[in-house]
Amino acid sequence: MTTQKRTYKKRNTGLFYGYLRRIPGYDPSEVETIKGGVIESFLIGKYGADHGRRISLSELSDKEYDELVIDLKRQVNIATDMNSLKAELNERAIRKGWYHRIFTQLSRIGINTINGYEEVNRHIRSLPISRGRILPAIPICELPDLFKAVCSYCDNRLKQQRKELATASKN
């Protein structure tokens, strides 16, 4: 059974999280704490310390959410417009999709893709198309070709593993 992510409001929170990542001292492992602090600071600044509201993006009205995003943008002092941030978030989503496809292929041949890029990059670097680069350094326009090369690499490794297994079972 697949579950759908619960959505409270029909709003895109990508801008909020995009700006949140740019806060000085941002730590991905503490994203919930940082998010709560930013929302609470906004509510305290707007309504005072005894605002009595739940600290959650879903509890904000659309107007409050827009004000929060503008306030967060001012805090991180970003001189970009909304369109360029949306484009960056879109590129990040595309890159993430290609990474998922590449990781899926590599996991077929038994490569551990859970603990980061170290093991994956070792195999990626061995491919001629990568020219010795690691995965995050490869431009997004080259990821489709890299994916094809990874598929071929994995298919060849699987054939080799099956051949070795057949030879071993004969002996």
Side-chain angles (χ1 to χ4, degrees), residues 71-125:
D71 185 50
L72 189 57
K73 179 180 178 181
R74 191 173 23 83
Q75 283 180 32
V76 298
N77 194 20
I78 295 177
T80 60
D81 62 328
M82 296 284 202
N83 292 334
S84 64
L85 183 59
K86 285 180 183 177
E88 181 183 325
L89 292 172
N90 186 36
E91 181 180 324
R92 185 174 294 166
I94 292 169
R95 185 174 284 278
K96 185 177 178 181
W98 282 112
Y99 284 7
H100 175 73
R101 291 179 188 134
I102 290 169
F103 285 7
T104 301
Q105 289 297 316
L106 291 172
S107 65
R108 284 177 46 216
I109 60 172
I111 296 171
N112 183 3
T113 60
I114 295 173
N115 297 327
Y117 292 172
E118 187 175 331
E119 182 76 13
V120 171
N121 280 329
R122 189 170 61 78
H123 291 276
I124 296 290
R125 279 185 169 165

Side-chain angles (χ1 to χ4, degrees), residues 17-18 54 84 102 143 165:
Y17 286 103
R54 202 173 115 216
S84 64
I102 290 169
L143 289 177
L165 185 64

Side-chain angles (χ1 to χ4, degrees), residues 163-171:
K163 188 175 180 181
E164 290 172 359
L165 185 64
T167 305
S169 66
K170 287 181 181 178
N171 293 336

Side-chain angles (χ1 to χ4, degrees), residues 6 13 19 29 43 66 79 107 121 127 150 154 163 169-170:
R6 188 180 342 169
T13 57
Y19 287 133
S29 64
L43 290 173
D66 292 340
S107 65
N121 280 329
L127 299 174
V150 167
C154 292
K163 188 175 180 181
S169 66
K170 287 181 181 178

